[in-house]
């Protein structure tokens, strides 16, 4: 496939920025500030992580740069309580404390914000794969319901920032290649001054994948800018255009997986195989938005954002050919009041968010990957709105947070073909979703606890699934979640432990039919508990040989089971919830030498994973060992070259990453690559001489 439009746009943007910029610079690469110093935005706290009374994972450039720059999957999986899967290259799925139970693919029941703006549509789906690796500078993951500030949802919330405030003017160009004909290109130009910062970037990524029918091509043009008209104002612009194509090989049975894990799904009965069907995703996404933050006096401030997003989605699949157009738009505004006290402060946040989409869904007969005769044409309009308020009171060593939101969700649906159906309307009743949290600091230790209520209406794709008739009777999930946490910040040692338990009622679960189409139903009640632990230790801080060394470990223990779930004559009460490993462990060692040599060794273990409600089949446990090393050298004082190389899955483990749950005909497994290699070169032109 060729993308001349992207190359022309990228060249034009780069020339404009080069003309504007008067100098070149670099972006920090190897060494990042310690996790202890990170300021967390979650729940409008804007405090160091240790002082935030919530279970939050932070992923910065240091964590991202430990791994292959082709994907963010490994970096996210290095944090506790979260699992990111890739059924095939580009096909992401995120599981936060079991949330992927209702996500056969894609990201559902997780609210995602990109540069302060929601990219989750009002129907509950996020096209996270529209973002390339270099669109992520930092990620905050709120585990559990964030409904008190971020709207309806029970899975969690992701806050993504693409531009670092400390990024300097300059040019950066990266190229990497790897096993499976991986080619990854990135070029960015950053320009501006202390009051204005602009970055234009272009990403081009291709690979043939590990399995048959699993190639990928991703092109992303993006522009991000921060403008400070005055010391009391900040204006942020975001533009992104993504053209993504990836093939979908389909899941295999246990016997097929054992015989040849690289194979695509073969034909079966009346259904053709994945290759004959041309099974793939063609996805074009346009996103544009701006947010404006200003101080209104000494105590008040406001942040308001507006955005528009459009996705053109084509999906030749084994059972049919889907063509969707999904535009949506909306805005968010937050007013903040902060009053200093003699031994602390009190702050209040009041605001609201509104989103609207107008989607069209066409289903056609699939003939060798091309749309043929029309089967159905549907139109859907989904509106989501909520208002929220939060009070945060800090006095001496105590912090108390109380907040709530009131949500409203409306869906209008109309079938236009083959037999027109009158307009159908579904409204999900307003739900108040309160959250209370308490934190106590004792020297370098903090203890916190929280209780939160979550409310998650069915996503549009669950009410109007590909594998079944319209199901507007599907009920929303309800959740009550409890967290107790402990953090220790002892200079070179950091520890974060969280214990949680929550129950879901009307749990939404997913099924698949013979053609791979999904449908959904409510599953009664679940009981989900666990322990999440993260620690790091800078054990060679005083060494003259090493500039920095960090030993880190992340462990998750889950006990997830159905409390009440009966389907016809089957009773799944007491069974483990499919899709989540009882235990996972990630660990690693980062080393940066004084000679600018750097290396990272990483390890990941996943326990066996139940794949069906009856717990009759499991994905095997596996161990992943990886390494990345490189050398950075300054040339002529203003040019920095960085060479790196890495190996993934050194132990050559056979495993499935992104299993299909409750699959018809036993098609559960999507094989991940065996041992694979990558290498790359990064060139930075700097404005200042390197010391």
């Amino acid at each position: 496939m060729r993308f001349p439009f992207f190359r022309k746009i990228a060249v034009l943007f780069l020339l404009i920025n080069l003309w504007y910029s008067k100098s070149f610079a670099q972006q920090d690469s190897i060494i990042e500030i310690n996790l202890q110093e990170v300021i967390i935005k979650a729940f409008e706290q804007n405090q160091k992580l240790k002082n935030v009374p919530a279970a939050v994972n932070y992923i910065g450039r240091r964590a991202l740069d430990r791994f292959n720059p082709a994907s963010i999957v490994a970096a996210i999986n290095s944090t506790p309580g979260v699992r990111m899967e890739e059924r095939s290259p580009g096909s992401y799925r995120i599981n936060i404390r079991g949330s992927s139970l209702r996500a056969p693919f894609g990201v559902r029941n997780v609210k995602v914000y990109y540069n302060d703006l929601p990219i989750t549509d009002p129907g509950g789906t996020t096209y996270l794969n529209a973002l390339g690796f270099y669109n992520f500078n930092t990620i905050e993951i709120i585990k559990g319901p964030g409904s008190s500030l971020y709207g309806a949802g029970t899975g969690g919330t992701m806050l993504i920032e693409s531009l670092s405030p400390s990024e300097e003017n300059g040019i950066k160009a990266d190229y990497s290649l790897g096993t499976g004909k991986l080619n990854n290109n990135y070029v960015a130009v950053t320009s501006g001054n202390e009051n204005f910062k602009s970055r234009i970037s272009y990403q081009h990524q291709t690979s043939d994948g590990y399995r048959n029918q699993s190639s990928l091509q991703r092109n992303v043009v993006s522009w991000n800018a921060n403008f400070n008209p005055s010391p009391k104002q900040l204006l942020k612009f975001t533009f992104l255009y993504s053209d993504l194509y990836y093939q979908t090989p389909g899941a295999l049975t246990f016997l097929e997986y054992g015989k040849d894990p690289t194979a695509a799904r073969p034909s079966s009965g009346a259904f053709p195989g994945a290759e004959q069907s041309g099974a793939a995703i063609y996805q074009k996404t346009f996103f544009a938005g701006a947010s404006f933050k200003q101080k209104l006096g000494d105590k008040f401030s406001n942040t308001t954002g507006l955005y528009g997003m459009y996705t053109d989605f084509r999906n030749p699949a084994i059972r049919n050919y889907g063509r969707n157009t999904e535009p949506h738009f909306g805005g968010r505004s937050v007013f903040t009041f902060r009053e200093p006290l003699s031994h602390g402060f009190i702050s209040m946040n009041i605001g609201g968010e509104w989103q609207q989409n107008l989607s069209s869904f066409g289903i056609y007969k699939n003939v060798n990957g091309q749309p043929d005769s029309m089967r159905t044409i549907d139109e859907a309009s989904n509106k989501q709105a909520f208002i929220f308020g939060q009070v945060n009171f800090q006095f001496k060593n105590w912090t108390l947070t109380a907040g709530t939101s009131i949500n409203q969700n409306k869906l209008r649906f109309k079938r236009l073909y083959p037999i027109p159906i009158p307009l159908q309307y579904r409204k999900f009743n307003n739900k108040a979703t309160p959250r209370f949290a308490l934190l106590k600091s004792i020297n370098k230790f903090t203890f916190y606890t929280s209780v939160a209520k979550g409310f998650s209406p069915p996503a549009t794709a669950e009410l109007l699934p590909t594998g079944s008739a319209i199901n507007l009777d599907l009920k929303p999930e309800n959740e009550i979640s409890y967290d107790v946490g402990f953090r220790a910040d002892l200079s070179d040692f950091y520890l974060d432990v969280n214990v949680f338990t929550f129950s879901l009622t009307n749990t939404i679960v997913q099924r698949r039919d013979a053609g791979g189409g999904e449908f959904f139903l409510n599953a009664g009640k679940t009981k989900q508990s666990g322990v999440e632990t993260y620690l790091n230790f800078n054990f060679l801080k005083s060494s003259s040989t090493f500039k920095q060394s960090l030993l880190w470990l992340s462990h998750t223990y889950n006990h997830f089971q159905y409390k009440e779930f009966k389907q016809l004559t089957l009773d799944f009460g007491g069974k483990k919830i499919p899709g989540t490993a009882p235990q996972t462990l990630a660990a690693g060692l980062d080393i940066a030498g004084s000679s600018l040599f750097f290396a990272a060794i990483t390890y990941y273990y996943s326990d066996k994973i139940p794949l069906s409600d009856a717990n009759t089949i499991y994905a095997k446990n596996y161990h992943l060992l990886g390494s990345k090393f490189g050398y950075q050298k300054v040339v002529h004082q203003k040019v920095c070259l960085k060479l790196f190389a890495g190996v993934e899955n050194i132990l050559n483990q056979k495993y499935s990453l992104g299993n299909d749950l409750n699959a018809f005909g036993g098609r559960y497994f999507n094989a991940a690559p065996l041992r694979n290699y990558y290498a790359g070169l990064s060139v930075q032109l700097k404005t200042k001489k390197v010391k």
Side-chain angles (χ1 to χ4, degrees):
M1 297 181 67
R2 296 181 179 179
F3 299 88
F5 171 76
F6 271 101
R7 294 191 175 96
K8 291 177 182 178
I9 292 295
V11 171
L12 177 62
F13 280 179
L14 292 175
L15 289 174
I16 291 172
N17 265 256
L18 280 172
W19 174 79
Y20 179 86
S21 179
K22 296 182 179 179
S23 56
F24 303 123
Q26 73 162 349
Q27 177 182 348
D28 291 340
S29 54
I30 303 173
I31 303 300
E32 184 193 78
I33 57 176
N34 291 329
L35 184 62
Q36 294 92 317
E37 301 300 322
V38 171
I39 301 299
I40 296 297
K41 297 172 61 178
F43 292 114
E44 299 291 335
Q45 293 292 311
N46 298 309
Q47 297 193 73
K48 292 182 180 180
L49 178 58
K50 67 175 184 177
N51 296 322
V52 176
V56 179
N57 291 356
Y58 173 83
I59 302 163
R61 279 255 54 96
R62 179 178 194 158
L64 291 166
D65 287 342
R66 288 186 183 121
F67 305 97
N68 189 338
S71 172
I72 64 170
V73 171
I76 287 183
N77 288 344
S78 67
T79 64
V82 181
R83 175 182 170 89
M84 191 170 186
E85 300 172 332
E86 203 168 14
R87 298 167 71 241
S88 59
S91 180
Y92 293 150
R93 182 167 64 190
I94 291 182
N95 183 339
I96 303 177
R97 294 181 175 177
S99 65
S100 68
L101 186 63
R102 55 190 283 194
F105 61 89
V107 179
R108 294 184 192 162
N109 198 29
V110 176
K111 188 69 174 288
V112 181
Y113 290 83
Y114 183 62
N115 296 333
D116 301 330
L117 302 169
I119 59 172
T120 300
D121 69 31
T125 297
T126 305
Y127 291 109
L128 189 65
N129 52 8
L131 304 179
F133 175 85
Y134 295 96
N135 292 118
F136 297 87
N137 182 64
T138 64
I139 308 169
E140 294 179 27
I141 301 177
I142 302 171
K143 295 174 288 188
S147 306
S148 61
L149 252 68
Y150 302 108
T154 57
T157 307
M158 293 182 65
L159 309 178
I160 301 168
E161 287 288 337
S162 63
L163 186 63
S164 170
S166 61
E167 193 161 350
E168 300 179 18
N169 295 350
I171 294 178
K172 181 178 182 180
D174 288 1
Y175 173 72
S176 60
L177 72 167
T179 306
K181 295 184 179 180
L182 169 67
N183 281 276
N184 196 17
N185 305 268
Y186 172 72
V187 61
V189 175
T190 305
S191 60
N193 51 44
E194 60 182 8
N195 296 321
F196 178 75
K197 189 67 61 178
S198 170
R199 184 184 67 191
I200 296 290
S201 66
Y202 170 62
Q203 304 173 56
H204 174 68
Q205 180 182 351
T206 63
S207 73
D208 283 354
Y210 170 66
R211 299 174 59 191
N212 298 335
Q213 193 67 19
S214 65
S215 67
L216 162 77
Q217 297 194 47
R218 174 189 279 120
N219 287 263
V220 184
V221 175
S222 59
W223 174 57
N224 301 102
N226 293 347
F227 177 46
N228 294 93
S230 74
K232 294 184 177 182
Q233 296 176 318
L234 173 62
L235 183 59
K236 298 169 65 174
F237 296 98
T238 300
F239 168 89
L240 182 138
Y241 183 61
S242 170
D243 193 336
L244 174 65
Y245 164 77
Y246 63 91
Q247 297 175 328
T248 54
L252 303 175
T253 66
F254 180 77
L255 293 178
E256 293 166 349
Y257 175 68
K259 181 180 180 181
D260 182 8
T262 68
R265 173 178 170 165
S267 59
S268 177
F271 296 101
E275 293 178 276
Q276 182 183 346
S277 302
I281 298 293
Y282 299 82
Q283 178 185 309
K284 296 181 180 180
T285 300
F286 171 83
F287 179 86
S291 67
F292 182 52
K293 181 177 182 179
Q294 59 179 331
K295 292 184 178 181
L296 306 173
D298 295 332
K299 300 178 181 179
F300 288 90
S301 64
N302 172 260
T303 302
T304 297
L306 298 173
Y307 81 96
M309 188 170 183
Y310 175 85
T311 299
D312 183 275
F313 187 84
R314 304 286 185 266
N315 179 207
I318 289 172
R319 59 177 292 113
N320 54 38
Y321 190 109
R323 301 179 64 176
N324 303 346
T325 57
E326 304 176 40
H328 64 97
F329 47 90
R332 177 181 176 89
S333 184
V334 184
F335 288 89
T336 300
F337 168 81
R338 183 182 176 95
E339 174 70 44
L341 303 175
S342 58
H343 297 285
F345 66 87
I346 183 169
S347 64
M348 290 184 287
N349 308 103
I350 299 175
E353 184 176 308
W354 169 81
Q355 292 178 283
Q356 171 80 55
N357 70 354
L358 303 166
S359 302
S360 175
F361 306 99
I363 300 296
Y364 301 80
K365 181 180 178 181
N366 182 5
V367 178
N368 299 321
Q370 298 297 321
D372 193 67
S373 56
M374 184 183 296
R375 293 183 175 178
T376 61
I377 295 291
D378 300 325
E379 289 184 349
S381 172
N382 200 306
K383 181 187 296 184
Q384 175 179 275
F386 63 93
I387 57 174
F388 58 85
Q390 177 179 272
V391 176
N392 194 48
F393 176 67
Q394 182 173 312
F395 182 74
K396 293 185 177 180
N397 296 325
W398 291 92
T399 300
L400 173 65
T401 300
T404 190
S405 71
I406 299 177
N407 301 267
Q408 185 180 80
N409 298 76
K410 297 180 180 179
L411 171 68
R412 295 178 181 269
F413 168 78
K414 187 175 183 179
R415 172 149 291 174
L416 305 178
Y417 183 87
I419 301 175
I421 297 176
L423 181 67
Q424 298 188 54
Y425 178 79
R426 180 72 193 273
K427 177 180 178 181
F428 297 100
N429 295 330
N430 295 344
K431 290 284 185 178
T433 53
R435 177 180 180 271
F436 301 94
L438 183 66
L439 179 142
K440 170 68 173 178
S441 298
I442 304 176
N443 296 324
K444 295 185 177 182
F445 303 93
T446 56
F447 304 83
Y448 69 89
T449 183
S450 68
V451 56
K453 182 177 180 181
F455 163 73
S456 180
T460 302
E462 294 165 344
L463 297 167
L464 314 173
T466 63
S468 183
I470 302 165
N471 184 13
L472 296 183
D473 293 328
L474 203 60
K475 299 177 182 178
E477 289 182 339
N478 291 281
E479 173 184 358
I480 298 180
S481 178
Y482 303 89
D483 283 81
V484 176
F486 165 75
R487 296 186 179 109
D489 179 5
L490 303 175
S491 183
D492 296 332
F493 177 81
Y494 184 81
L495 174 66
D496 191 333
V497 180
N498 180 269
V499 180
F500 69 90
T501 183
F502 65 90
S503 59
L504 284 174
T505 57
N506 296 324
T507 308
I508 298 174
V509 298
Q510 168 256 333
R511 295 285 188 276
R512 285 188 176 274
D513 61 17
E518 72 272 3
F519 61 98
F520 300 85
L521 50 87
N522 291 112
K525 298 180 180 180
T526 66
K527 182 71 172 180
Q528 296 169 244
S529 304
V531 182
E532 299 159 347
T533 304
Y534 176 84
L535 64 87
N536 66 42
F537 177 42
N538 189 0
F539 63 97
L540 292 175
K541 186 175 180 179
S542 59
S543 171
S544 59
T545 304
F546 297 99
K547 190 174 181 179
Q548 191 174 46
S549 57
L550 189 75
L551 180 66
W552 58 272
L553 181 144
S554 166
H555 179 262
T556 304
Y557 168 76
N558 294 316
H559 182 64
F560 295 174
Q561 65 180 22
Y562 290 119
K563 189 175 181 180
E564 297 177 12
F565 181 22
K566 293 183 179 181
Q567 187 180 13
L568 301 177
T569 59
L570 300 176
D571 186 351
F572 298 120
K575 297 292 186 180
K576 296 178 181 178
I577 295 175
T580 302
Q583 291 197 73
T584 60
L585 174 69
L589 174 65
D590 301 341
I591 295 177
S594 57
S595 62
L596 293 181
F597 166 83
F598 61 93
I601 301 172
T602 57
Y603 169 77
Y604 181 82
Y605 167 77
S606 173
D607 206 347
K608 63 180 183 178
I609 301 173
L611 303 180
S612 67
D613 290 331
N615 297 171
T616 54
I617 188 166
Y618 285 76
K620 293 178 63 177
N621 63 339
Y622 58 89
H623 305 260
L624 300 180
L625 183 64
S627 66
K628 181 180 180 180
F629 53 91
Y631 185 78
Q632 183 169 280
K633 183 176 179 60
V634 177
V635 181
H636 300 303
Q637 297 181 326
K638 289 189 178 182
V639 180
C640 183
L641 301 179
K642 183 171 71 172
L643 294 169
F644 62 88
V647 188
E648 297 178 310
N649 195 2
I650 294 174
L651 302 177
N652 213 33
Q653 294 271 286
K654 178 182 176 182
Y655 69 103
S656 176
L657 182 64
N659 306 288
D660 287 9
L661 308 180
N662 294 305
F664 185 90
R667 296 194 172 279
Y668 298 102
F669 302 97
N670 291 281
L674 299 176
R675 185 184 301 117
N676 59 96
Y677 307 86
Y678 62 92
L681 169 67
S682 177
V683 180
Q684 298 180 22
L685 304 180
K686 305 178 180 182
T687 226
K688 298 179 181 180
K689 294 181 180 180
V690 179
K691 297 179 180 180

